[in-house]
Amino acid sequence: MRIGELATRTEVSVRALRYYEEQGLLAAERSPSGQRRYSADAVDRVLLIQQLYAAGLPSRTIAELMPCVIDGNATPELIERLAAERDRIDRQITDLAATRERLDSVITGATTNLRTGKPCPATGPPTTSPAI
């Protein structure tokens, strides 16, 4: 498939697909006229790349992961690095859950304020420090 079709099917910009190729995350064959041609499995690969970017993995880590995904080849270093990324994501989930709890408390206080006119109660200091 051509780059425009891949972009449409994955809802990823053509520019992003070119970037993925530059970073070694996505491969394309070239037609005699130089146009990029992608195999059908490129859709799944792009969706995986998007998920990994959304999880906060940098392109370098994603590039290191691709041989494992494509060929099934892993190294102890890759597994260690991926485990560290998973741990980082777990910490983010914990921080987000705490933030959601505080927001729920603020919403409850604001709802009570609307119904009763009583001031919103203080929610206290954050239980975790924000990631910087």
Side-chain angles (χ1 to χ4, degrees), residues 13 46 54 64 69 76 92-93 104 113 122 125:
S13 71
V46 169
E64 291 171 2
V69 172
Q92 285 180 319
I93 289 168
D104 285 345
N113 173 261

Side-chain angles (χ1 to χ4, degrees), residues 47-116:
L47 296 175
L48 173 62
I49 292 166
Q50 287 288 293
Q51 286 178 319
L52 296 171
Y53 270 128
L57 272 69
S59 58
R60 188 182 81 178
T61 301
I62 296 170
E64 291 171 2
L65 169 67
M66 282 310 180
C68 181
V69 172
I70 296 166
D71 302 327
N73 297 325
T75 64
E77 295 81 14
L78 175 63
I79 293 168
E80 185 177 313
R81 183 171 179 132
L82 293 174
E85 289 293 342
R86 184 201 52 226
D87 293 345
R88 182 188 59 77
I89 291 167
D90 284 344
R91 287 189 301 275
Q92 285 180 319
I93 289 168
T94 299
D95 290 347
L96 285 170
T99 301
R100 182 185 59 215
E101 288 176 21
R102 293 197 69 215
L103 182 58
D104 285 345
S105 176
V106 170
I107 291 169
T108 299
T111 301
T112 300
N113 173 261
L114 273 177
R115 283 196 315 255
T116 67

